[in-house]
Amino acid sequence: PQQLPRIGATMFDTLFNDQAGHGAANCIDGVDNNLCHSGQVNTNEPWLMIDMGAAYTVYEVDIYNRADCCQERLSWNIANNANLGYEIVISNTASDPVTGALVTCAFNDATRTIDVATHACEGTGRYVYLRLPGAQRVVNIAEVKIYSSTTSNYLRIGAQPSNLAFYNWGRE
């Protein structure tokens, strides 16, 4: 697959963008062992936006979770012990992931321990968002990679995912 460019990133809650070295740029720097962090754990519907610089056809988005801790934050609301999932949104709008969304793909991780989440999410746009719906959420991941290929990782290696409900194989 062809990895698409990631020229900029920003978050809804920028508390840590200039503090503690956990800014949005860490999620597009190609380093899988650092992190970006949106700040307060009690944030409502936080998001990470990745700017590809131009509109591209997106087929796959890989989310690299933190290896050291907190993998459950991608899907779970810890305060309420509820699986709220997450969304990948493809858009041409830089303001937020809801206004002008072209494609929204919803996912969840019932195991709460996934290292790399590989998702088929097809659409054409300039911006790719990772959005965590619900209250008391935090974006707290290592990396996001975006690809333009119709061949998923599972088809490339010849294996089938064990939990098909976790993957979105078609357009929303």
Side-chain angles (χ1 to χ4, degrees):
Q2 177 188 355
Q3 186 171 345
L4 295 173
R6 299 163 299 161
I7 65 163
T10 191
M11 281 189 262
F12 166 79
D13 178 354
T14 59
L15 175 69
F16 287 152
N17 275 346
D18 296 322
Q19 301 174 12
H22 301 307
N26 284 1
C27 277
I28 62 167
D29 63 2
V31 179
D32 298 342
N33 64 355
N34 64 9
L35 65 115
C36 66
H37 196 298
S38 63
Q40 302 293 334
V41 176
N42 61 357
T43 301
N44 293 335
E45 303 192 3
W47 47 261
L48 168 71
M49 179 194 75
I50 299 165
D51 181 358
M52 297 183 292
Y56 289 91
T57 299
V58 173
Y59 288 101
E60 180 178 303
V61 177
D62 296 352
I63 301 168
Y64 290 72
N65 221 336
R66 288 181 60 179
D68 60 340
C69 78
C70 313
Q71 292 91 355
E72 71 279 353
R73 289 181 175 175
L74 185 58
S75 286
W76 284 76
N77 174 314
I78 303 306
N80 299 320
N81 194 29
N83 184 354
L84 301 179
Y86 54 96
E87 298 172 351
I88 295 170
V89 178
I90 301 169
S91 177
N92 282 322
T93 304
S95 59
D96 67 76
V98 177
T99 304
L102 302 172
V103 175
T104 299
C105 303
F107 305 98
N108 65 60
D109 172 24
T111 67
R112 299 189 287 180
T113 59
I114 193 159
D115 292 326
V116 180
T118 297
H119 297 297
C121 187
E122 297 183 33
T124 300
R126 176 174 174 166
Y127 304 98
V128 173
Y129 289 86
L130 170 63
R131 178 178 176 266
L132 306 183
Q136 299 181 341
R137 305 292 303 274
V138 60
V139 174
N140 187 11
I141 60 173
E143 191 77 15
V144 176
K145 296 180 181 175
I146 305 163
Y147 297 94
S148 66
S149 172
T150 57
T151 306
S152 77
N153 281 338
Y154 295 101
L155 295 175
R156 285 195 299 274
I157 63 173
Q160 181 176 0
S162 59
N163 181 359
L164 291 178
F166 183 68
Y167 298 88
N168 175 8
W169 293 101
R171 295 187 97 149
E172 289 285 319

